[in-house]
Amino acid sequence: QVQLVESGGGLVQAGGSLRLSCVASGSIFSINGMSWYRQAPGRQRELVAAVTDGDITSYADSVKGRFTISRDNAKNTAYLQMYGLKPEDTGVYYCNADGRNTRFMTFNVWGQGTQVTVSS
């Protein structure tokens, strides 16, 4: 079984920064993609940023130039560095990862989410 635990959320003023972390643990053989999603109240969950196992990154247009996704494969950890936060960045941020476990079965798992609140 593979689990993801996010951390780093909090309350910040507009223009501030936060760094989210997502640690994967359990019966991991390999992790392919890791990504961050967010869900604002009353809205659908949306993809914010993703990184492949080859460190190819992609971003939602709304966060390009402000957010940076990275990963440390040795630690099975993904990060989301967020600068220039805006009130519209408020929401619950979820980590997602896909890969293979030690039985070589594929997995696709979600973390429990971490709240990010940006005040104006």
Side-chain angles (χ1 to χ4, degrees):
Q1 192 172 359
V2 177
Q3 301 87 30
L4 300 180
V5 177
E6 304 104 330
S7 62
L11 172 64
V12 64
Q13 289 188 332
S17 61
L18 285 173
R19 188 193 194 206
L20 306 183
S21 298
C22 170
V23 180
S25 64
S27 305
I28 299 169
F29 176 74
S30 64
I31 299 177
N32 299 328
M34 299 188 78
S35 53
W36 288 95
Y37 288 72
R38 68 185 178 193
Q39 187 166 20
R43 302 189 65 177
Q44 289 188 333
R45 191 173 297 189
E46 62 175 353
L47 177 64
V48 176
V51 58
T52 70
D53 55 353
D55 284 332
I56 297 173
T57 59
S58 59
Y59 298 91
D61 287 343
S62 59
V63 307
K64 283 181 180 177
R66 299 188 298 121
F67 291 10
T68 301
I69 188 171
S70 62
R71 62 191 284 175
D72 184 334
N73 293 326
K75 296 181 179 180
N76 289 331
T77 300
Y79 305 96
L80 186 67
Q81 179 67 57
M82 306 184 291
Y83 294 106
L85 283 162
K86 304 175 181 180
E88 51 264 43
D89 294 319
T90 295
V92 179
Y93 283 68
Y94 296 92
C95 182
N96 175 270
D98 68 271
R100 289 191 180 273
N101 62 22
T102 53
R103 294 185 177 185
F104 299 103
M105 297 178 65
T106 59
F107 66 81
N108 188 306
V109 294
W110 293 87
Q112 82 289 350
T114 185
Q115 176 71 45
V116 171
T117 303
V118 184
S119 63
S120 57

